[in-house]
């Protein structure tokens, strides 16, 4: 885990410590895995003493190009990492392509991502947009993503683990030798879900997904925050600095989720960040794959070297 955290230093060759940056597409939703990426990213920003000039969520960025904010040339644009590079979560990909196409004279760094396109035409479209940008840099979370990006998009890519690893040493840990909590079964219930392996059927007791870690109040807060997250169409500045409130609220939500997870002895999960969180908390974990191999390729690239981590092989 020390190595995975230190490996994030590859970002320094693209963004020097102390640089000014613009951060786009931070998660304004309650997927705890994405929030872990956010918390790790912001911890990295603070450690590198970046001057974050502005922050935009997907909902708060002005989509019409005539309203795009004016960005000084010395500001590097950072696009949030995760697993939405491709056509499963296509609105985020469209925003990413609009930004890359518009800010062709700025350095843009896409933080660690996994790539997946099910439609070749959409991948070609993305590649055409990105090939025109000469100072675009992509951080790949696994070897397959790295290879595809270099072959179809650009040579400007680097292997890098997920930003959540920067939280190593900052979260509570499972008490050594603590037992009795049983197994937490965390299974995807979304576009990336897969059937539970036969050997686990009958063992699973009340499987959970990230949505089960939220309350009705959480969901209302999220809805109101999205509606408030708007910018001035002329200046591009926020009408209300919602990220200050949102960051504080999600700090408490992540802490609450961690407390709940620490009550278990181990995690069996098809959620990549259920697996990464188990590593950060010092818990045993068995990782199942998602629908297109994202989890297994990540394990093979990085977490296979972490103690008490196992990839289920069908």
């Amino acid at each position: 885990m020390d190595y995975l955290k230190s490996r994030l230093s590859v970002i320094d060759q693209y963004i020097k410590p102390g640089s000014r940056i613009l951060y786009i597409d931070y998660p304004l939703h309650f997927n705890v895995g994405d929030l872990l990426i956010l918390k790790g990213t912001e911890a990295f920003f603070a450690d590198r003493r970046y001057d974050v000039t502005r922050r935009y969520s997907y909902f708060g960025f002005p989509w019409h190009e005539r309203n795009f904010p004016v960005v000084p040339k010395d500001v590097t644009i950072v696009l949030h990492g995760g697993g939405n590079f491709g056509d499963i979560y296509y609105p985020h990909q469209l925003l990413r392509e609009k930004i890359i196409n518009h800010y062709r004279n700025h350095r843009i760094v896409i933080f660690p991502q996994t790539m997946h396109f099910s439609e070749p035409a959409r991948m070609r479209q993305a590649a055409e947009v990105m090939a025109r940008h000469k100072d675009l840099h992509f951080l790949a979370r696994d070897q397959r993503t790295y290879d595809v990006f270099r072959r179809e998009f650009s040579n400007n890519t680097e292997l890098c683990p997920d930003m959540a690893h920067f939280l190593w040493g900052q979260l509570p840990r499972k008490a050594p030798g603590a037992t009795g909590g049983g197994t937490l079964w965390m299974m995807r219930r979304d576009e990336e879900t897969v059937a539970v392996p036969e050997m686990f059927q009958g063992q699973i007791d009340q499987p959970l997904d990230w949505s089960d870690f939220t309350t009705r109040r959480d969901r209302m807060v999220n809805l109101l925050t999205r509606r408030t997250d708007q910018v001035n169409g002329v200046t591009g500045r926020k009408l209300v600095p919602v990220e200050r409130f949102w960051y504080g609220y999600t700090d408490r939500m992540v802490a609450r989720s961690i407390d709940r997870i620490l009550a278990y002895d181990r995690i069996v999960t098809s959620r990549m960040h259920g697996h990464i969180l188990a590593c950060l908390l010092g818990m045993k974990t068995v990782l199942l794959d998602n629908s297109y191999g994202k989890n297994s390729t990540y394990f093979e690239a990085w977490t296979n070297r972490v103690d008490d981590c196992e990839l289920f092989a069908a």
Side-chain angles (χ1 to χ4, degrees), residues 78-308:
V78 172
L79 298 178
H80 181 72
N84 63 11
F85 193 102
D87 54 10
I88 293 182
Y89 309 99
Y90 199 52
H92 291 272
Q93 181 67 21
L94 283 177
L95 176 60
R96 187 177 297 118
E97 291 173 23
K98 279 178 170 283
I99 290 165
I100 291 168
N101 184 63
H102 183 81
Y103 296 105
R104 295 191 195 178
N105 296 318
H106 289 76
R107 169 159 290 194
I108 298 178
V109 181
I110 302 175
F111 268 28
Q113 279 273 1
T114 302
M115 178 193 301
H116 177 72
F117 285 91
S118 57
E119 295 291 338
R122 285 182 171 176
M123 185 170 75
R124 288 194 297 271
Q125 172 187 311
E128 289 172 3
V129 170
M130 295 182 189
R132 292 194 293 266
H133 198 294
K134 303 309 178 185
D135 200 5
L136 172 68
H137 305 274
F138 181 82
L139 300 170
R141 290 195 304 194
D142 61 79
Q143 189 67 47
R144 181 172 63 188
T145 295
Y146 174 86
D147 291 342
V148 172
F149 198 88
R150 282 181 63 87
R151 183 178 68 248
E152 304 291 343
F153 289 75
S154 167
N155 288 333
N156 295 339
T157 187
E158 183 81 41
L159 273 170
C160 185
D162 189 90
M163 294 304 299
H165 287 288
F166 205 77
L167 296 174
W168 173 242
Q170 301 180 34
L171 302 180
R173 302 288 304 283
K174 183 75 175 177
T179 60
T183 298
L184 169 60
W185 300 91
M186 183 181 292
M187 301 297 170
R188 301 194 73 114
R189 297 196 300 260
D190 64 1
E191 296 90 341
E192 298 179 44
T193 191
V194 293
V196 176
E198 186 175 348
M199 71 168 291
F200 290 129
Q201 293 178 12
Q203 300 182 42
I204 299 179
D205 180 30
Q206 296 181 331
L208 302 178
D209 200 359
W210 288 128
S211 59
D212 299 305
F213 288 76
T214 63
T215 65
R216 184 175 182 275
R217 180 174 183 270
D218 292 336
R219 292 186 287 274
M220 288 298 297
V221 166
N222 179 246
L223 179 62
L224 291 173
T225 306
R226 288 184 182 187
R227 289 178 175 175
T228 308
D229 191 17
Q230 301 176 24
V231 298
N232 183 297
V234 176
T235 66
R237 294 193 175 276
K238 293 288 186 75
L239 299 178
V240 179
V242 298
E243 63 272 14
R244 297 178 188 174
F245 166 78
W246 180 247
Y247 278 29
Y249 192 91
T250 54
D251 281 345
R252 296 188 293 274
M253 183 185 166
V254 169
R256 188 177 76 212
S257 300
I258 288 172
D259 286 344
R260 186 173 178 183
I261 288 169
L262 283 171
Y264 294 88
D265 293 332
R266 69 168 185 158
I267 300 176
V268 179
T269 183
S270 56
R271 280 282 181 188
M272 178 188 289
H273 283 87
H275 169 70
I276 291 175
L277 182 55
C279 296
L280 293 169
L281 301 178
M283 297 177 66
K284 295 180 179 180
T285 174
V286 177
L287 179 63
L288 311 181
D289 219 344
N290 75 321
S291 61
Y292 61 89
K294 174 175 71 177
N295 296 349
S296 59
T297 54
Y298 192 82
F299 180 88
E300 290 161 3
W302 307 111
T303 52
N304 65 84
R305 68 193 76 203
V306 178
D307 292 339
D308 293 323

